[in-house]
Amino acid sequence: MELKVSTRSHAGHAVMAIAGEIDLYTAPRLQSEFTRLLEETGPDRVVIDMSGVEFCDSTGMNVLLSALKRLKERGGVLEVAAPRPAVRKILQVTGLDSVFTVHESVPAELAEKTG
């Protein structure tokens, strides 16, 4: 399955929307998107919109942890938003739900404005 990643940045914040499966084969693409985002815009806050992620294995979780570490080193934060039940369970089982700030949905101040 293909991994789709789209990023919106605004005023030091970025929302990275991910759709598909994050696994051994797609994790390098996600890693390179994080690297590009951090080098290009250098946001203070990154919210990962996982509402479109159907599956995430340990490789994917390691990419998220790596991004979290890189942001923290720069004084920034990485948050996870809208994980589906399968992804939420992985976060809970691994204890990563206490490492990441997890939101039920993308925070209102960062949600795409419509209308």
Side-chain angles (χ1 to χ4, degrees), residues 56-78:
C56 183
D57 69 6
S58 61
T59 315
M61 288 296 161
N62 283 332
V63 170
L64 295 179
L65 281 169
S66 170
L68 174 70
K69 183 174 181 262
R70 288 172 63 188
L71 271 162
K72 273 190 170 178
E73 286 170 355
R74 298 167 25 170
V77 294
L78 181 123

Side-chain angles (χ1 to χ4, degrees), residues 56 58 61 84-100 102:
C56 183
S58 61
M61 288 296 161
R84 290 184 176 186
V87 174
R88 183 177 293 278
K89 185 168 178 83
I90 291 167
L91 289 167
Q92 291 169 339
V93 168
T94 58
L96 292 175
D97 59 336
S98 63
V99 174
F100 295 108
V102 181

